[in-house]
Every structure is written in C-alpha cells, then in structure tokens.
Amino acid sequence: SAVISQKPSRDICQRGTSLTIQCQVDSQVTMMFWYRQQPGQSLTLIATANQGSEATYESGFVIDKFPISRPNLTFSTLTVSNMSPEDSSIYLCSGWGGKSYEQYFGPGTRLTVT
Amino acid sequence: QQQVKQSPQSLIVQKGGISIINCAYENTAFDYFPWYQQFPGKGPALLIAIRPDVSEKKEGRFTISFNKSAKQFSLHIMDSQPGDSATYFCAAPGVTTDSWGKLQFGAGTQVVVTP
C-alpha cells in the first residue's frame, strides 16, 4: 500500500486569496487524483493529475480555479485560487498504482475561507 | 457519469450485531468495487475490495457480496464493535475506458455501534 501525506493539514484563508496544497506519496504511483469532500458529504473528483502534462478536469471544475501540477511520479500540488466561502471543504489527494486497482488517500486538507 | 447509490444513509447497531450497507451502480468499464472506511478528521482508508471473478470476499469480520446481474454489492460487518463506528463509502469505476483509475463514490453510510 502507498502512504500519502498532505500539507497543510488545515488552513483558514481570506476571501480572494489562493492556497496551494501539497501531496506526497511514498512510492511511485501511476495516477494521482484530487477530490473535494464537503463535511458530512461524499467525495467528488476534481481532476486527474498527469505527470508532465496538464491535468484532466471533471465536469464543473476548471484549471483557472484549481491549477494542478505533477512534476514527478510521487508529488502533486493543487491550488485553490481566488477563494470564496463556497470553497470551504476538505481536499483529498489519492494515489493509484495501476496494477492492483487499489487507490489510497491522504489525510486531507481542511480549508476554511472567511 | 457513473451513479452509485448507497443505502442506508445511517445505521445504528448494537455491539455484536451485523451491519449491512448496500450499493448499486449503473455501468462500469472495469470490474473493481472497493469499500472505504472514514473516521472523523481522517482520509478514507481502503477497507476491502472485490473483483467480481468471485461473488463474495471475506476479510476478518468484513464481507463483500456481489451480484453482477443486479449490479449491486454490499458490505457486511459481522460482530460489529464500537471501533467500527465510522462512515463507510462504496465506490465503483467509471463507465468509459478513459476513466481508468477514477472512482465514483456513494453518498456514504454513517454507522454507529452502541456498547
């Protein structure tokens, strides 16, 4: 199994600012994903972080709002840009090895926008 | 986009009892159905998963039952313990081959095990 860490674990930000969340996997993974989870709700896939190329976004999510980087096979960042209170949520990254189908999640970043 | 319907929304069970959570999916490009367990303030943890070359998979007190013709799968927690109190999510792969690795999650079931 892969161990995934995220930084920061939580943050409180002001409206209109941006926050970059880091995700580190302890081993190389084929794919990395970013999810959003409203408190008490399910997980919604934001995008697939592609190594060396632009991320692939799901319907309702755009690159200008959620730019993503993945410079190598173990690291990715998600930026939440021009934040509003509606962006208050838990942001989770996951890693998928590709062979066993198993997907592992980080502990999440709890974001509050005031 | 894949829809995964999960029920019940919440469940209260006495210690030693059986918790049963059900999920139904529409279509999938790949056959792989995991269950995740999530405690408050933590990320989802992979609990158990099935690839439906079998209809049932058991790991300790946790069992997945799968009915491919009905497009349904369920999680059974036997001898439920207070430490099992958590939110459980089922998931299913996407419907197209370019959704490789992507998961669609059910709404979640909050399980409370009373002493």
Side-chain angles (χ1 to χ4, degrees):
Chain A
S1 65
V3 177
I4 300 177
S5 58
Q6 288 184 232
K7 291 182 185 179
S9 59
R10 58 177 62 230
D11 207 340
I12 301 173
C13 301
Q14 289 196 334
R15 178 196 297 263
T17 63
S18 298
L19 176 72
T20 296
I21 302 168
Q22 298 180 5
C23 177
Q24 179 74 54
V25 189
D26 70 341
S27 58
Q28 292 185 353
V29 290
T30 302
M31 302 182 81
M32 294 179 73
F33 302 97
W34 286 97
Y35 290 82
R36 183 169 72 182
Q37 185 180 29
Q38 305 282 1
Q41 303 294 317
S42 186
L43 288 76
T44 300
L45 181 63
I46 297 172
T48 304
N50 300 309
Q51 193 244 338
S53 64
E54 197 169 277
T56 306
Y57 291 84
E58 298 300 307
S59 175
F61 298 96
V62 295
I63 187 172
D64 290 345
K65 178 66 175 177
F66 298 102
I68 289 170
S69 76
R70 189 182 174 193
N72 56 53
L73 292 175
T74 63
F75 185 79
S76 178
T77 66
L78 167 75
T79 299
V80 186
S81 302
N82 188 25
M83 288 183 286
S84 66
E86 291 71 36
D87 295 320
S88 297
S89 191
I90 301 167
Y91 292 86
L92 295 151
C93 73
S94 71
W96 183 67
K99 292 183 179 179
S100 67
Y101 293 84
E102 295 174 352
Q103 187 168 149
Y104 297 93
F105 284 83
T109 295
R110 183 179 291 269
L111 171 62
T112 302
V113 183
T114 60
Chain B
Q1 194 170 4
Q2 172 75 270
Q3 284 224 359
V4 182
K5 296 183 179 179
Q6 183 174 345
S7 63
Q9 185 177 358
S10 63
L11 184 59
I12 299 174
V13 62
Q14 285 192 332
K15 179 181 176 180
I18 302 173
S19 304
I20 301 175
I21 307 170
N22 300 298
C23 277
Y25 63 97
E26 296 177 342
N27 293 293
T28 58
F30 313 102
D31 285 340
Y32 171 74
F33 301 93
W35 286 90
Y36 285 84
Q37 179 188 55
Q38 186 176 33
F39 294 104
K42 305 292 186 183
L46 180 62
L47 181 64
I48 186 173
I50 192 169
R51 292 200 61 192
D53 46 353
V54 296
S55 60
E56 185 175 285
K57 182 175 180 181
K58 183 177 181 179
E59 289 185 359
R61 296 184 293 106
F62 301 91
T63 300
I64 297 179
S65 297
F66 180 75
N67 185 331
K68 188 167 185 175
S69 61
K71 297 182 179 179
Q72 295 176 348
F73 57 108
S74 61
L75 176 69
H76 295 232
I77 307 174
M78 313 299 287
D79 187 25
S80 296
Q81 300 296 311
D84 297 332
S85 297
T87 300
Y88 293 82
F89 293 95
C90 63
V95 298
T96 59
T97 53
D98 65 356
S99 63
W100 188 246
K102 296 181 182 180
L103 293 174
Q104 301 293 330
F105 284 81
T109 297
Q110 186 173 14
V111 174
V112 175
V113 182
T114 59

